[in-house]
Amino acid sequence: MNERYEQICRGFYEAGVIPVIQLRQVEKAGQLASALAAGGLSLAEVTFREEGAEKVIEAMNASPKGILAGAGTVLSVEQAKRAEAAGAAFLVSPGFDADVVEYGLKHDLPVFPGCVTPTEIQQAMGYGLRVLKFFPAQQYGGVKTIKALSAPYPQIKFMPTGGISLENLCEYLSCDPVLACGGSFMVKTDFLEQGLWEEVTKQCVQAAAVVAAVRARRS
């Protein structure tokens, strides 16, 4: 993989937890970026589940707070193109789509597909990918499944998303094959719609503390 891919992977690891954002009100993107930065986070995944995702990505990347925004829930090449045009730093998909993966690789856009089976993992490995999303994490067996999958694929790192909370974040991050976790608990819909930026920051600070504690134990 190229340097851009390596940089994003390092960024994921350093952050430990990546907020997965579904923002309906584009005009709040700047405030959200500030709240995340105040909580110590520097990367974010903006999902294409909402119209206007491109504008949110653009606004967050333009924020003076230094938030690096990528695109999530990328289900097609058309969406990948829109994400790239918006300046997305990376692409994340809930599942494995060869066309999306190939587009990302061709356009030097780091791509992280969702893989929960050996077949999907080997497909991703065939493209040289070594960091994969694991979604929905809790429903697919969580840490136990990740550990089982890592046995034949020790070179693969996972980013579990789906059901991640402050309560189980430590358990996931303490699992060696886990590079980082994606979560929406710090950017809940209510927080965003009501402009509860202090709550967003509080949740980020608490998550960052968990990350720091786990990293300290593993160093």
Side-chain angles (χ1 to χ4, degrees):
M1 286 289 116
N2 59 33
E3 181 58 25
R4 188 177 181 187
Y5 181 85
E6 297 297 335
Q7 287 177 347
I8 294 297
C9 290
R10 285 195 296 270
F12 285 154
Y13 176 78
E14 290 168 2
V17 58
I18 314 301
V20 179
I21 298 164
Q22 188 172 342
L23 182 62
R24 297 187 178 96
Q25 298 151 307
V26 176
E27 66 276 9
K28 293 182 176 180
Q31 292 170 295
L32 175 56
S34 296
L36 294 174
L41 297 188
S42 58
L43 293 97
E45 175 187 331
V46 179
T47 75
F48 266 68
R49 295 183 184 185
E50 293 291 343
E51 291 296 326
E54 298 103 312
K55 292 183 179 180
V56 174
I57 291 171
E58 290 173 355
M60 295 192 75
N61 280 330
S63 168
K65 298 301 181 179
I67 296 295
L68 193 63
T73 320
V74 177
L75 304 179
S76 65
V77 170
E78 185 270 333
Q79 288 184 330
K81 290 179 178 178
R82 287 163 53 194
E84 181 184 28
F90 53 87
L91 304 177
V92 181
S93 297
F96 183 88
D97 185 305
D99 291 337
V100 171
V101 169
E102 289 172 7
Y103 184 89
L105 294 174
K106 181 178 179 180
H107 292 262
D108 191 23
L109 190 55
V111 57
F112 303 91
C115 297
V116 296
T117 68
T119 298
E120 292 167 336
I121 291 170
Q122 289 186 204
Q123 285 179 310
M125 288 173 61
Y127 285 96
L129 303 180
R130 60 179 181 78
V131 176
L132 307 173
K133 179 171 182 171
F134 185 80
F135 172 84
Q138 284 290 89
Q139 289 82 351
Y140 272 98
V143 169
K144 289 183 179 179
T145 300
I146 291 172
K147 287 181 177 178
L149 287 171
S150 71
Y153 307 114
Q155 66 273 57
I156 296 297
K157 294 293 184 181
F158 294 94
M159 293 195 300
T161 306
I164 307 298
S165 66
L166 276 174
E167 287 68 34
N168 62 20
L169 181 61
C170 179
E171 178 187 11
Y172 275 97
L173 291 177
S174 298
C175 178
D176 286 340
V178 171
L179 182 75
C181 292
S184 58
F185 61 88
M186 72 286 285
V187 287
K188 293 179 181 178
T189 300
D190 289 348
F191 296 168
L192 305 188
E193 291 187 349
Q194 297 176 34
L196 302 178
W197 309 122
E198 290 184 0
E199 187 62 33
V200 171
T201 296
K202 176 183 175 181
Q203 294 287 322
C204 291
V205 168
Q206 292 176 331
V210 174
V211 174
V214 172
R215 299 286 191 252
R217 289 200 301 269
R218 296 176 65 180
S219 63

